[in-house]
Amino acid sequence: MASQNEGLHAVLSEEEQAGQAYFDKIIAEDSRIEPRDWMPESYRKTLVRQIGQHAHSEIIGMQPEANWITRAPSLKRKAILMAKVQDEAGHGLYLYSAAETLGTPRDKMTEDLIAGKARYSSIFNYPTVTWADMGAIGWMVDGAAICNQVPLCRASYGPYGRAMVRICKEESFHQRQGFEILLELANGTPEQRAMAQDAVNRWYAPSLMMFGPPDEDSPNSKQSMAWNIKRFSNDELRSRFVGMLVEQVKVLGLELPDDQISYNEDTKQWEHGPLDWEEFKDVLKGKGPCNAQRMERRRAAHEDGAWVREAAAAYADKQAQKAEVA
Ligand code: FAQ
């Protein structure tokens, strides 16, 4: 097969050429690249970018839901929501660990996030204004995350794919709990039903945008697919997600705020109404409804947590000294 980095061979040393040949073979076989294997710098960079953004999304994504922990309508709902938010922290940690195997320390990724140099998912810049938003996030946001992330379990980089397996299992539970919140509200009083419908109306378009820009505006997709990192394009996954929502919304007895959804028999794709990509670009530029607040909270949490990091580092040093003496 043609090299995944055609044209670069001329400037590679002999050792690097052997590495490149091994890398190409692994990708062609659809096998896995592991941390100690040679890999092109651009492959490493793409992975750090995507895994880092994903990790930041999990960590920032704790905020909109944490907003409702103290106001959950029952002890049971509070316990479930707390567990979910803790799971998101865990996902962030698995992902930072996966990115660290590529040589970028978590501290550096965190610094980039705090400095506003790193991205996190657009979806977490929208406000959670009612309890029904906890249902809509679980059903739609975790639902979109599952659609996007199940194929990532087969990503060519071993530590990323393996982290995704565990994350997807937990996301499935998250999606079910969100669906169940909406189902209960949809079958409740007229006010509760209206609140559920309103949440679905507000989260629908932002959750479709989670899959990234349309394929023609997605600069990274083609190469990421050639490297078997991404398995499907942004639009393919978005279409799949719409198909999933169409069926499940019937069980909820609610409606999707899009009267242009249809199944295209020729392309075998679900189609949807237009999305406001200008809004998406604004959110990415930091001009979404909650960007400033999310970043401010993240910075404050990082500063407040300095003593924990110091204590953990001091403890680790002590343990290392003890181990040396023994
Ligand atoms: N938001 O060329 P593409 C979750 C950026 S986890 C912000 O298509 P790519 C769990 C993109 O980075 C949610 N930025 O890029 C949870 C790129 O910018 P760059 C996160 C976006 O990488 C639930 C530029 O636009 N999931 O929800 C977005 O091939 C509930 C051009 O785009 C992941 O991160 C966006 N939506 O495809 C937690 C999954 N879309 O870097 C708490 C892994 C695109 O060139 C509560 N990531 N951009 O400056 C991926 O699958 C991919 O990175 C995509 C983007 C599909 C997100």
Side-chain angles (χ1 to χ4, degrees):
M1 131 183 182
S3 157
Q4 295 296 330
N5 259 326
E6 210 70 67
L8 277 185
H9 282 205
V11 291
L12 294 182
S13 68
E14 224 166 83
E15 196 185 330
E16 285 168 331
Q17 282 188 33
Q20 178 76 57
Y22 175 76
F23 176 85
D24 289 346
K25 178 172 159 288
I26 293 287
I27 298 294
E29 281 173 355
D30 206 355
S31 302
R32 281 200 149 144
I33 299 291
E34 295 297 337
R36 288 184 187 164
D37 292 338
W38 187 92
M39 61 187 87
E41 269 318 297
S42 45
Y43 175 81
R44 188 186 297 276
K45 220 171 134 191
T46 283
L47 281 167
V48 171
R49 179 185 65 79
Q50 177 166 327
I51 302 172
Q53 286 174 2
H54 192 166
H56 299 327
S57 304
E58 301 282 356
I59 299 298
I60 297 274
M62 294 165 75
Q63 293 186 31
E65 290 180 293
N67 182 32
W68 279 90
I69 290 176
T70 55
R71 292 176 287 164
S74 69
L75 187 58
K76 181 182 123 189
R77 293 288 183 204
K78 187 191 289 245
I80 295 172
L81 186 59
M82 275 173 67
K84 179 181 191 297
V85 173
Q86 284 176 345
D87 284 352
E88 309 302 355
H91 298 174
L93 298 188
Y94 311 150
L95 288 162
Y96 284 128
S97 299
E100 284 197 317
T101 65
L102 291 154
T104 304
R106 180 172 149 199
D107 287 354
K108 162 81 174 77
M109 287 181 276
T110 304
E111 268 168 36
D112 286 350
L113 174 66
I114 302 252
K117 289 191 215 156
R119 292 195 194 286
Y120 59 88
S121 182
S122 50
I123 193 76
F124 302 118
N125 293 305
Y126 291 86
T128 45
V129 292
T130 70
W131 169 251
D133 288 3
M134 297 304 98
I137 290 189
W139 179 46
M140 299 171 112
V141 175
D142 285 280
I146 293 168
C147 258
N148 170 260
Q149 291 168 23
V150 166
L152 291 174
C153 295
R154 293 189 289 120
S156 57
Y157 187 59
Y160 189 30
R162 289 189 285 274
M164 291 318 308
V165 172
R166 188 160 171 186
I167 291 176
C168 284
K169 284 187 186 155
E170 294 178 358
E171 299 291 25
S172 301
F173 163 73
H174 295 168
Q175 200 222 6
R176 290 303 295 263
Q177 67 84 38
F179 185 83
E180 207 253 334
I181 290 175
L182 284 181
L183 189 63
E184 195 164 318
L185 291 174
N187 289 308
T189 63
E191 289 80 5
Q192 286 173 324
R193 189 182 170 74
M195 186 165 75
Q197 183 63 59
D198 170 63
V200 169
N201 291 350
R202 283 182 290 106
W203 290 92
Y204 171 74
S207 66
L208 261 60
M209 290 181 193
M210 283 175 73
F211 295 91
D215 291 351
E216 63 271 22
D217 299 325
S218 165
N220 302 300
S221 282
K222 200 166 162 242
Q223 182 61 77
S224 290
M225 287 171 77
W227 278 329
N228 298 341
I229 298 172
K230 283 169 86 160
R231 298 289 177 157
F232 300 97
S233 76
N234 298 354
D235 286 333
E236 281 171 325
L237 292 173
R238 197 174 358 258
S239 155
R240 233 181 233 207
F241 177 58
V242 170
M244 189 192 95
L245 292 182
V246 163
E247 289 307 315
Q248 295 183 0
V249 81
K250 290 183 200 157
V251 182
L252 290 173
L254 297 173
E255 282 174 12
L256 295 175
D258 185 345
D259 57 9
Q260 295 184 42
I261 295 178
S262 63
Y263 186 70
N264 184 327
E265 287 291 348
D266 297 332
T267 59
K268 308 276 177 233
Q269 298 275 314
W270 282 93
E271 289 174 357
H272 53 81
L275 294 169
D276 184 352
W277 291 109
E278 288 311 310
E279 174 182 313
F280 176 76
K281 284 181 198 157
D282 278 347
V283 173
L284 262 59
K285 279 186 212 145
K287 294 188 211 150
C290 298
N291 292 61
Q293 179 188 326
R294 301 287 185 243
M295 287 306 295
E296 195 185 304
R297 291 243 170 101
R298 184 68 201 92
R299 284 188 192 110
H302 188 67
E303 278 163 28
D304 291 349
W307 70 271
V308 180
R309 293 190 295 279
E310 280 160 26
Y315 179 75
D317 279 352
K318 265 259 171 338
Q319 294 299 102
Q321 279 166 17
K322 265 194 208 163
E324 255 173 48
V325 172

